[in-house]
Structures are given as structure tokens and as C-alpha cells.
Amino acid sequence: MSDTLFSKIITREIPADIVYEDDLCLAFRDINPQAPIHVLLIPKKPIPKLSEATADDHALLGHLLLKAKAVAEQLGLDQGFRVVINNGDDGGQTVFHLHLHILGGRFLAWPPG
Ligand code: 5GP
């Protein structure tokens, strides 16, 4: 069970600019945006990182990808967007509650560096 600041955003103990919520997930704007639109989409279930997801999370992970698409549409990212999951220390993960970064609003170079 991870208890991170994202858990506190889910419970509203920490404020966030929430753009989408349903029974399974929450999306809010990143506090340090790396693009004009930078939203974090998190499951309400506190999975620390993708590599700790299990077969029990099959439907939840599918739900998150489809909601990433829906949130991108909602925010007008009709020219394209990027979805990123940082996993573990070498992956650059700093908050150990699984999250999808949804980035857009400008051209995003690849590789990101
Ligand atoms: P990671 O590096 O773990 O993939 O991404 C964590 C993200 O959480 C970072 O982009 C960081 O800016 C964002 N973040 C950290 N603390 C807060 C916070 O208190 N509120 C919001 N909205 N985003 C945060």
C-alpha cells in the first residue's frame, strides 16, 4: 500500500487542478508542466509503479489508456499528444503511485533526452 502525495490528492487533502474523475481514476494538471498541457492520470488504487501491476489490474490498465485518450480529447489535443509512464528510479519516477503523463499542446521531439 503506497501512501504518497497522489493519495492525498485523491482524498482532497492536497489541492490539485482536477480535469477528470471517475470511480477508478483521477486526472489533474502537473504542478511543473513540461508542455502547454501536462496532465497526470492516476488510478485510485495505489499501485506504486507499472512493474508492480498484476493480472488483477488488467481491466484497470486498459481503463487508464482509454481515459488518457478521452482526457486528451477533452483538453483539445487534436494535433497529437504523448502518454508517458516513468517506472522506477532509472525510469525517472519520483512519485511512487502509478501515473500516466499526458503531454501536448506543442511539438514533442523524440527521443526526449
Ligand atoms: P514522475 O517523475 O514520478 O514520473 O512524475 C511525477 C510528477 O508529479 C512530476 O511531473 C511532478 O511535477 C508532479 N508533481 C509532484 N508533486 C506534485 C503536486 O503536489 N501536485 C501536482 N499536481 N503534481 C505534482
Side-chain angles (χ1 to χ4, degrees):
M1 181 87 177
S2 66
D3 188 22
T4 68
L5 66 95
F6 288 177
S7 300
K8 293 183 170 62
I9 287 176
I10 293 169
T11 58
R12 290 358 189 226
E13 292 167 74
I14 293 176
D17 185 355
I18 293 168
V19 298
Y20 176 78
E21 181 172 23
D22 64 26
D23 289 348
L24 297 175
C25 67
L26 183 73
F28 52 92
R29 293 184 193 274
D30 196 293
I31 203 167
N32 183 25
Q34 303 301 310
I37 301 287
H38 186 174
V39 166
L40 302 172
L41 175 61
I42 66 173
K44 291 187 173 176
K45 179 180 177 180
I47 301 167
K49 53 186 173 178
L50 182 61
S51 57
E52 293 185 30
T54 72
D56 288 346
D57 301 314
H58 185 102
L60 177 59
L61 295 178
H63 184 79
L64 288 169
L65 272 184
L66 289 172
K67 289 304 169 185
K69 177 190 101 161
V71 168
E73 284 174 3
Q74 175 190 323
L75 296 176
L77 297 177
D78 53 0
Q79 299 301 305
F81 60 91
R82 181 170 293 162
V83 177
V84 172
I85 298 175
N86 296 328
N87 185 86
D89 294 334
D90 278 3
Q93 185 175 6
T94 59
V95 179
F96 286 84
H97 182 127
L98 175 63
H99 50 282
L100 284 66
H101 295 259
I102 303 167
L103 298 137
R106 64 169 169 82
F107 177 76
L108 298 165
W110 187 264

PDB file of all heavy atoms in Angstrom, residues 5-6 9 14-17 28-34 38 40 84-87 91-97 99 101, ligand 1:
ATOM      1  N   LEU A   5       1.801  11.558  -2.037  1.00  0.00           N
ATOM      2  CA  LEU A   5       1.021  12.791  -2.177  1.00  0.00           C
ATOM      3  C   LEU A   5      -0.127  12.616  -3.158  1.00  0.00           C
ATOM      4  O   LEU A   5      -1.144  13.312  -3.060  1.00  0.00           O
ATOM      5  CB  LEU A   5       1.932  13.954  -2.564  1.00  0.00           C
ATOM      6  CG  LEU A   5       2.629  13.973  -3.911  1.00  0.00           C
ATOM      7  CD1 LEU A   5       1.825  14.761  -4.932  1.00  0.00           C
ATOM      8  CD2 LEU A   5       3.997  14.576  -3.760  1.00  0.00           C
ATOM      9  N   PHE A   6      -0.012  11.669  -4.090  1.00  0.00           N
ATOM     10  CA  PHE A   6      -1.132  11.455  -5.016  1.00  0.00           C
ATOM     11  C   PHE A   6      -2.337  10.848  -4.281  1.00  0.00           C
ATOM     12  O   PHE A   6      -3.481  11.160  -4.618  1.00  0.00           O
ATOM     13  CB  PHE A   6      -0.710  10.569  -6.194  1.00  0.00           C
ATOM     14  CG  PHE A   6       0.216  11.251  -7.179  1.00  0.00           C
ATOM     15  CD1 PHE A   6       0.727  10.546  -8.250  1.00  0.00           C
ATOM     16  CD2 PHE A   6       0.568  12.588  -7.046  1.00  0.00           C
ATOM     17  CE1 PHE A   6       1.584  11.163  -9.175  1.00  0.00           C
ATOM     18  CE2 PHE A   6       1.425  13.214  -7.950  1.00  0.00           C
ATOM     19  CZ  PHE A   6       1.933  12.493  -9.020  1.00  0.00           C
ATOM     20  N   ILE A   9      -4.045  13.707  -2.947  1.00  0.00           N
ATOM     21  CA  ILE A   9      -4.811  14.446  -3.967  1.00  0.00           C
ATOM     22  C   ILE A   9      -6.151  13.752  -4.188  1.00  0.00           C
ATOM     23  O   ILE A   9      -7.193  14.401  -4.304  1.00  0.00           O
ATOM     24  CB  ILE A   9      -3.985  14.581  -5.268  1.00  0.00           C
ATOM     25  CG1 ILE A   9      -2.854  15.604  -5.039  1.00  0.00           C
ATOM     26  CG2 ILE A   9      -4.874  14.995  -6.445  1.00  0.00           C
ATOM     27  CD1 ILE A   9      -1.891  15.772  -6.203  1.00  0.00           C
ATOM     28  N   ILE A  14      -4.627  17.338  -0.374  1.00  0.00           N
ATOM     29  CA  ILE A  14      -3.754  18.252  -1.101  1.00  0.00           C
ATOM     30  C   ILE A  14      -4.551  18.744  -2.313  1.00  0.00           C
ATOM     31  O   ILE A  14      -5.145  17.930  -3.025  1.00  0.00           O
ATOM     32  CB  ILE A  14      -2.459  17.531  -1.559  1.00  0.00           C
ATOM     33  CG1 ILE A  14      -1.613  17.159  -0.334  1.00  0.00           C
ATOM     34  CG2 ILE A  14      -1.660  18.399  -2.509  1.00  0.00           C
ATOM     35  CD1 ILE A  14      -0.366  16.360  -0.683  1.00  0.00           C
ATOM     36  N   PRO A  15      -4.575  20.046  -2.545  1.00  0.00           N
ATOM     37  CA  PRO A  15      -5.358  20.555  -3.683  1.00  0.00           C
ATOM     38  C   PRO A  15      -4.693  20.246  -5.023  1.00  0.00           C
ATOM     39  O   PRO A  15      -3.467  20.116  -5.105  1.00  0.00           O
ATOM     40  CB  PRO A  15      -5.392  22.074  -3.433  1.00  0.00           C
ATOM     41  CG  PRO A  15      -4.194  22.354  -2.581  1.00  0.00           C
ATOM     42  CD  PRO A  15      -3.947  21.122  -1.757  1.00  0.00           C
ATOM     43  N   ALA A  16      -5.501  20.130  -6.038  1.00  0.00           N
ATOM     44  CA  ALA A  16      -4.995  19.915  -7.395  1.00  0.00           C
ATOM     45  C   ALA A  16      -6.034  20.438  -8.368  1.00  0.00           C
ATOM     46  O   ALA A  16      -7.227  20.550  -8.037  1.00  0.00           O
ATOM     47  CB  ALA A  16      -4.725  18.433  -7.639  1.00  0.00           C
ATOM     48  N   ASP A  17      -5.566  20.755  -9.575  1.00  0.00           N
ATOM     49  CA  ASP A  17      -6.455  21.221 -10.645  1.00  0.00           C
ATOM     50  C   ASP A  17      -6.959  19.979 -11.385  1.00  0.00           C
ATOM     51  O   ASP A  17      -6.335  19.502 -12.333  1.00  0.00           O
ATOM     52  CB  ASP A  17      -5.681  22.162 -11.562  1.00  0.00           C
ATOM     53  CG  ASP A  17      -6.559  22.789 -12.629  1.00  0.00           C
ATOM     54  OD1 ASP A  17      -7.755  22.427 -12.725  1.00  0.00           O
ATOM     55  OD2 ASP A  17      -6.042  23.631 -13.390  1.00  0.00           O
ATOM     56  N   PHE A  28      -5.335  15.210 -13.184  1.00  0.00           N
ATOM     57  CA  PHE A  28      -5.115  16.585 -12.699  1.00  0.00           C
ATOM     58  C   PHE A  28      -3.871  17.159 -13.368  1.00  0.00           C
ATOM     59  O   PHE A  28      -2.988  16.426 -13.809  1.00  0.00           O
ATOM     60  CB  PHE A  28      -4.977  16.604 -11.162  1.00  0.00           C
ATOM     61  CG  PHE A  28      -3.976  15.642 -10.616  1.00  0.00           C
ATOM     62  CD1 PHE A  28      -2.661  16.037 -10.407  1.00  0.00           C
ATOM     63  CD2 PHE A  28      -4.319  14.326 -10.329  1.00  0.00           C
ATOM     64  CE1 PHE A  28      -1.716  15.142  -9.909  1.00  0.00           C
ATOM     65  CE2 PHE A  28      -3.383  13.424  -9.843  1.00  0.00           C
ATOM     66  CZ  PHE A  28      -2.078  13.838  -9.633  1.00  0.00           C
ATOM     67  N   ARG A  29      -3.785  18.478 -13.402  1.00  0.00           N
ATOM     68  CA  ARG A  29      -2.662  19.138 -14.067  1.00  0.00           C
ATOM     69  C   ARG A  29      -1.394  19.001 -13.237  1.00  0.00           C
ATOM     70  O   ARG A  29      -1.427  19.151 -12.009  1.00  0.00           O
ATOM     71  CB  ARG A  29      -2.984  20.608 -14.329  1.00  0.00           C
ATOM     72  CG  ARG A  29      -4.105  20.775 -15.341  1.00  0.00           C
ATOM     73  CD  ARG A  29      -4.354  22.235 -15.682  1.00  0.00           C
ATOM     74  NE  ARG A  29      -5.615  22.384 -16.402  1.00  0.00           N
ATOM     75  CZ  ARG A  29      -5.772  22.248 -17.725  1.00  0.00           C
ATOM     76  NH1 ARG A  29      -4.731  21.973 -18.475  1.00  0.00           N
ATOM     77  NH2 ARG A  29      -6.955  22.390 -18.289  1.00  0.00           N
ATOM     78  N   ASP A  30      -0.293  18.714 -13.947  1.00  0.00           N
ATOM     79  CA  ASP A  30       1.003  18.597 -13.282  1.00  0.00           C
ATOM     80  C   ASP A  30       1.420  19.960 -12.731  1.00  0.00           C
ATOM     81  O   ASP A  30       1.252  20.998 -13.382  1.00  0.00           O
ATOM     82  CB  ASP A  30       2.056  18.090 -14.278  1.00  0.00           C
ATOM     83  CG  ASP A  30       3.315  17.576 -13.584  1.00  0.00           C
ATOM     84  OD1 ASP A  30       4.036  18.391 -12.977  1.00  0.00           O
ATOM     85  OD2 ASP A  30       3.557  16.360 -13.653  1.00  0.00           O
ATOM     86  N   ILE A  31       1.989  19.959 -11.531  1.00  0.00           N
ATOM     87  CA  ILE A  31       2.382  21.210 -10.872  1.00  0.00           C
ATOM     88  C   ILE A  31       3.587  21.851 -11.562  1.00  0.00           C
ATOM     89  O   ILE A  31       3.819  23.059 -11.399  1.00  0.00           O
ATOM     90  CB  ILE A  31       2.663  20.929  -9.377  1.00  0.00           C
ATOM     91  CG1 ILE A  31       2.514  22.193  -8.544  1.00  0.00           C
ATOM     92  CG2 ILE A  31       4.037  20.300  -9.175  1.00  0.00           C
ATOM     93  CD1 ILE A  31       2.468  21.929  -7.042  1.00  0.00           C
ATOM     94  N   ASN A  32       4.335  21.081 -12.333  1.00  0.00           N
ATOM     95  CA  ASN A  32       5.540  21.573 -13.018  1.00  0.00           C
ATOM     96  C   ASN A  32       5.481  21.150 -14.486  1.00  0.00           C
ATOM     97  O   ASN A  32       6.226  20.265 -14.930  1.00  0.00           O
ATOM     98  CB  ASN A  32       6.785  21.002 -12.329  1.00  0.00           C
ATOM     99  CG  ASN A  32       8.069  21.515 -12.940  1.00  0.00           C
ATOM    100  OD1 ASN A  32       8.095  22.593 -13.539  1.00  0.00           O
ATOM    101  ND2 ASN A  32       9.136  20.736 -12.816  1.00  0.00           N
ATOM    102  N   PRO A  33       4.569  21.775 -15.259  1.00  0.00           N
ATOM    103  CA  PRO A  33       4.271  21.265 -16.608  1.00  0.00           C
ATOM    104  C   PRO A  33       5.465  21.334 -17.551  1.00  0.00           C
ATOM    105  O   PRO A  33       6.196  22.323 -17.575  1.00  0.00           O
ATOM    106  CB  PRO A  33       3.123  22.172 -17.076  1.00  0.00           C
ATOM    107  CG  PRO A  33       3.191  23.386 -16.212  1.00  0.00           C
ATOM    108  CD  PRO A  33       3.753  22.941 -14.900  1.00  0.00           C
ATOM    109  N   GLN A  34       5.619  20.265 -18.326  1.00  0.00           N
ATOM    110  CA  GLN A  34       6.695  20.153 -19.316  1.00  0.00           C
ATOM    111  C   GLN A  34       6.199  20.435 -20.728  1.00  0.00           C
ATOM    112  O   GLN A  34       6.946  20.296 -21.707  1.00  0.00           O
ATOM    113  CB  GLN A  34       7.315  18.754 -19.250  1.00  0.00           C
ATOM    114  CG  GLN A  34       7.853  18.394 -17.885  1.00  0.00           C
ATOM    115  CD  GLN A  34       8.933  19.361 -17.411  1.00  0.00           C
ATOM    116  OE1 GLN A  34       9.873  19.648 -18.136  1.00  0.00           O
ATOM    117  NE2 GLN A  34       8.786  19.884 -16.189  1.00  0.00           N
ATOM    118  N   HIS A  38      -0.111  19.415 -19.596  1.00  0.00           N
ATOM    119  CA  HIS A  38       0.588  18.314 -18.917  1.00  0.00           C
ATOM    120  C   HIS A  38      -0.300  17.865 -17.767  1.00  0.00           C
ATOM    121  O   HIS A  38      -0.425  18.541 -16.744  1.00  0.00           O
ATOM    122  CB  HIS A  38       1.950  18.776 -18.401  1.00  0.00           C
ATOM    123  CG  HIS A  38       2.783  17.670 -17.821  1.00  0.00           C
ATOM    124  ND1 HIS A  38       4.087  17.852 -17.422  1.00  0.00           N
ATOM    125  CD2 HIS A  38       2.508  16.350 -17.561  1.00  0.00           C
ATOM    126  CE1 HIS A  38       4.588  16.712 -16.945  1.00  0.00           C
ATOM    127  NE2 HIS A  38       3.637  15.793 -17.014  1.00  0.00           N
ATOM    128  N   LEU A  40      -1.593  14.545 -15.275  1.00  0.00           N
ATOM    129  CA  LEU A  40      -1.281  13.238 -14.699  1.00  0.00           C
ATOM    130  C   LEU A  40      -2.576  12.475 -14.499  1.00  0.00           C
ATOM    131  O   LEU A  40      -3.543  13.018 -13.943  1.00  0.00           O
ATOM    132  CB  LEU A  40      -0.566  13.409 -13.351  1.00  0.00           C
ATOM    133  CG  LEU A  40       0.732  14.210 -13.397  1.00  0.00           C
ATOM    134  CD1 LEU A  40       1.244  14.469 -11.984  1.00  0.00           C
ATOM    135  CD2 LEU A  40       1.787  13.509 -14.238  1.00  0.00           C
ATOM    136  N   VAL A  84       3.205   9.018 -21.250  1.00  0.00           N
ATOM    137  CA  VAL A  84       4.467   8.512 -20.707  1.00  0.00           C
ATOM    138  C   VAL A  84       4.207   7.904 -19.330  1.00  0.00           C
ATOM    139  O   VAL A  84       3.471   8.479 -18.522  1.00  0.00           O
ATOM    140  CB  VAL A  84       5.494   9.657 -20.559  1.00  0.00           C
ATOM    141  CG1 VAL A  84       6.746   9.190 -19.824  1.00  0.00           C
ATOM    142  CG2 VAL A  84       5.856  10.242 -21.917  1.00  0.00           C
ATOM    143  N   ILE A  85       4.841   6.754 -19.091  1.00  0.00           N
ATOM    144  CA  ILE A  85       4.859   6.173 -17.740  1.00  0.00           C
ATOM    145  C   ILE A  85       6.320   6.018 -17.339  1.00  0.00           C
ATOM    146  O   ILE A  85       7.053   5.236 -17.959  1.00  0.00           O
ATOM    147  CB  ILE A  85       4.159   4.803 -17.687  1.00  0.00           C
ATOM    148  CG1 ILE A  85       2.679   4.934 -18.069  1.00  0.00           C
ATOM    149  CG2 ILE A  85       4.302   4.194 -16.274  1.00  0.00           C
ATOM    150  CD1 ILE A  85       1.943   3.597 -18.160  1.00  0.00           C
ATOM    151  N   ASN A  86       6.757   6.761 -16.348  1.00  0.00           N
ATOM    152  CA  ASN A  86       8.096   6.581 -15.790  1.00  0.00           C
ATOM    153  C   ASN A  86       8.010   5.472 -14.747  1.00  0.00           C
ATOM    154  O   ASN A  86       7.128   5.497 -13.881  1.00  0.00           O
ATOM    155  CB  ASN A  86       8.587   7.880 -15.160  1.00  0.00           C
ATOM    156  CG  ASN A  86       8.759   8.981 -16.188  1.00  0.00           C
ATOM    157  OD1 ASN A  86       9.087   8.714 -17.346  1.00  0.00           O
ATOM    158  ND2 ASN A  86       8.521  10.221 -15.788  1.00  0.00           N
ATOM    159  N   ASN A  87       8.926   4.509 -14.840  1.00  0.00           N
ATOM    160  CA  ASN A  87       8.866   3.348 -13.944  1.00  0.00           C
ATOM    161  C   ASN A  87      10.193   3.176 -13.203  1.00  0.00           C
ATOM    162  O   ASN A  87      11.226   2.892 -13.833  1.00  0.00           O
ATOM    163  CB  ASN A  87       8.541   2.085 -14.738  1.00  0.00           C
ATOM    164  CG  ASN A  87       8.358   0.882 -13.820  1.00  0.00           C
ATOM    165  OD1 ASN A  87       7.257   0.658 -13.316  1.00  0.00           O
ATOM    166  ND2 ASN A  87       9.406   0.132 -13.572  1.00  0.00           N
ATOM    167  N   GLY A  91      13.888   4.951 -14.554  1.00  0.00           N
ATOM    168  CA  GLY A  91      12.849   5.492 -15.430  1.00  0.00           C
ATOM    169  C   GLY A  91      12.485   6.923 -15.093  1.00  0.00           C
ATOM    170  O   GLY A  91      11.627   7.513 -15.765  1.00  0.00           O
ATOM    171  N   GLY A  92      13.106   7.459 -14.052  1.00  0.00           N
ATOM    172  CA  GLY A  92      12.828   8.849 -13.685  1.00  0.00           C
ATOM    173  C   GLY A  92      11.608   9.037 -12.819  1.00  0.00           C
ATOM    174  O   GLY A  92      11.141  10.166 -12.631  1.00  0.00           O
ATOM    175  N   GLN A  93      11.071   7.938 -12.271  1.00  0.00           N
ATOM    176  CA  GLN A  93       9.867   8.056 -11.434  1.00  0.00           C
ATOM    177  C   GLN A  93      10.233   8.687 -10.094  1.00  0.00           C
ATOM    178  O   GLN A  93      11.223   8.297  -9.456  1.00  0.00           O
ATOM    179  CB  GLN A  93       9.249   6.677 -11.217  1.00  0.00           C
ATOM    180  CG  GLN A  93       7.924   6.739 -10.462  1.00  0.00           C
ATOM    181  CD  GLN A  93       7.248   5.375 -10.352  1.00  0.00           C
ATOM    182  OE1 GLN A  93       7.802   4.344 -10.745  1.00  0.00           O
ATOM    183  NE2 GLN A  93       6.041   5.369  -9.813  1.00  0.00           N
ATOM    184  N   THR A  94       9.459   9.679  -9.684  1.00  0.00           N
ATOM    185  CA  THR A  94       9.703  10.346  -8.404  1.00  0.00           C
ATOM    186  C   THR A  94       8.549  10.189  -7.426  1.00  0.00           C
ATOM    187  O   THR A  94       8.744  10.326  -6.225  1.00  0.00           O
ATOM    188  CB  THR A  94       9.986  11.850  -8.603  1.00  0.00           C
ATOM    189  OG1 THR A  94       8.859  12.455  -9.248  1.00  0.00           O
ATOM    190  CG2 THR A  94      11.245  12.075  -9.437  1.00  0.00           C
ATOM    191  N   VAL A  95       7.365   9.932  -7.939  1.00  0.00           N
ATOM    192  CA  VAL A  95       6.198   9.704  -7.077  1.00  0.00           C
ATOM    193  C   VAL A  95       5.756   8.263  -7.303  1.00  0.00           C
ATOM    194  O   VAL A  95       5.400   7.890  -8.431  1.00  0.00           O
ATOM    195  CB  VAL A  95       5.053  10.689  -7.385  1.00  0.00           C
ATOM    196  CG1 VAL A  95       3.859  10.403  -6.477  1.00  0.00           C
ATOM    197  CG2 VAL A  95       5.516  12.139  -7.222  1.00  0.00           C
ATOM    198  N   PHE A  96       5.773   7.476  -6.214  1.00  0.00           N
ATOM    199  CA  PHE A  96       5.540   6.035  -6.357  1.00  0.00           C
ATOM    200  C   PHE A  96       4.075   5.676  -6.152  1.00  0.00           C
ATOM    201  O   PHE A  96       3.706   4.926  -5.264  1.00  0.00           O
ATOM    202  CB  PHE A  96       6.533   5.266  -5.478  1.00  0.00           C
ATOM    203  CG  PHE A  96       7.908   5.310  -6.101  1.00  0.00           C
ATOM    204  CD1 PHE A  96       8.741   6.398  -5.888  1.00  0.00           C
ATOM    205  CD2 PHE A  96       8.320   4.334  -6.988  1.00  0.00           C
ATOM    206  CE1 PHE A  96       9.983   6.484  -6.516  1.00  0.00           C
ATOM    207  CE2 PHE A  96       9.556   4.408  -7.625  1.00  0.00           C
ATOM    208  CZ  PHE A  96      10.392   5.488  -7.384  1.00  0.00           C
ATOM    209  N   HIS A  97       3.282   6.260  -7.029  1.00  0.00           N
ATOM    210  CA  HIS A  97       1.875   5.923  -7.250  1.00  0.00           C
ATOM    211  C   HIS A  97       1.745   5.975  -8.772  1.00  0.00           C
ATOM    212  O   HIS A  97       1.956   7.043  -9.362  1.00  0.00           O
ATOM    213  CB  HIS A  97       0.961   6.945  -6.557  1.00  0.00           C
ATOM    214  CG  HIS A  97      -0.506   6.655  -6.699  1.00  0.00           C
ATOM    215  ND1 HIS A  97      -1.353   6.575  -5.602  1.00  0.00           N
ATOM    216  CD2 HIS A  97      -1.282   6.438  -7.788  1.00  0.00           C
ATOM    217  CE1 HIS A  97      -2.583   6.322  -6.022  1.00  0.00           C
ATOM    218  NE2 HIS A  97      -2.563   6.241  -7.357  1.00  0.00           N
ATOM    219  N   HIS A  99       1.294   6.557 -12.470  1.00  0.00           N
ATOM    220  CA  HIS A  99       0.651   7.684 -13.153  1.00  0.00           C
ATOM    221  C   HIS A  99       1.061   7.715 -14.617  1.00  0.00           C
ATOM    222  O   HIS A  99       2.189   7.375 -14.968  1.00  0.00           O
ATOM    223  CB  HIS A  99       0.972   9.013 -12.476  1.00  0.00           C
ATOM    224  CG  HIS A  99       2.431   9.241 -12.222  1.00  0.00           C
ATOM    225  ND1 HIS A  99       3.097   8.649 -11.173  1.00  0.00           N
ATOM    226  CD2 HIS A  99       3.350   9.990 -12.878  1.00  0.00           C
ATOM    227  CE1 HIS A  99       4.365   9.030 -11.189  1.00  0.00           C
ATOM    228  NE2 HIS A  99       4.546   9.833 -12.216  1.00  0.00           N
ATOM    229  N   HIS A 101       1.629  10.303 -17.633  1.00  0.00           N
ATOM    230  CA  HIS A 101       1.760  11.703 -18.042  1.00  0.00           C
ATOM    231  C   HIS A 101       1.074  11.845 -19.397  1.00  0.00           C
ATOM    232  O   HIS A 101       1.362  11.074 -20.323  1.00  0.00           O
ATOM    233  CB  HIS A 101       3.224  12.089 -18.225  1.00  0.00           C
ATOM    234  CG  HIS A 101       4.055  12.059 -16.978  1.00  0.00           C
ATOM    235  ND1 HIS A 101       4.379  13.192 -16.274  1.00  0.00           N
ATOM    236  CD2 HIS A 101       4.642  11.031 -16.318  1.00  0.00           C
ATOM    237  CE1 HIS A 101       5.147  12.863 -15.235  1.00  0.00           C
ATOM    238  NE2 HIS A 101       5.329  11.560 -15.237  1.00  0.00           N
TER     239      HIS A 101
HETATM  240  P1  5GP B   1       7.349  11.158 -12.157  1.00  0.00           P
HETATM  241  O1  5GP B   1       8.671  11.859 -12.168  1.00  0.00           O
HETATM  242  O2  5GP B   1       7.168  10.343 -10.887  1.00  0.00           O
HETATM  243  O3  5GP B   1       7.045  10.381 -13.389  1.00  0.00           O
HETATM  244  O4  5GP B   1       6.264  12.307 -12.153  1.00  0.00           O
HETATM  245  C1  5GP B   1       5.806  12.911 -11.003  1.00  0.00           C
HETATM  246  C2  5GP B   1       5.135  14.188 -11.436  1.00  0.00           C
HETATM  247  O5  5GP B   1       4.380  14.683 -10.348  1.00  0.00           O
HETATM  248  C3  5GP B   1       6.112  15.297 -11.833  1.00  0.00           C
HETATM  249  O6  5GP B   1       5.875  15.678 -13.185  1.00  0.00           O
HETATM  250  C4  5GP B   1       5.811  16.420 -10.852  1.00  0.00           C
HETATM  251  O7  5GP B   1       5.885  17.691 -11.436  1.00  0.00           O
HETATM  252  C5  5GP B   1       4.402  16.080 -10.390  1.00  0.00           C
HETATM  253  N1  5GP B   1       4.091  16.537  -9.053  1.00  0.00           N
HETATM  254  C6  5GP B   1       4.881  16.411  -7.954  1.00  0.00           C
HETATM  255  N2  5GP B   1       4.254  16.927  -6.885  1.00  0.00           N
HETATM  256  C7  5GP B   1       3.046  17.382  -7.319  1.00  0.00           C
HETATM  257  C8  5GP B   1       1.946  18.010  -6.658  1.00  0.00           C
HETATM  258  O8  5GP B   1       1.936  18.254  -5.445  1.00  0.00           O
HETATM  259  N3  5GP B   1       0.876  18.338  -7.421  1.00  0.00           N
HETATM  260  C9  5GP B   1       0.833  18.077  -8.769  1.00  0.00           C
HETATM  261  N4  5GP B   1      -0.266  18.437  -9.421  1.00  0.00           N
HETATM  262  N5  5GP B   1       1.855  17.477  -9.414  1.00  0.00           N
HETATM  263  C10 5GP B   1       2.946  17.131  -8.695  1.00  0.00           C
END
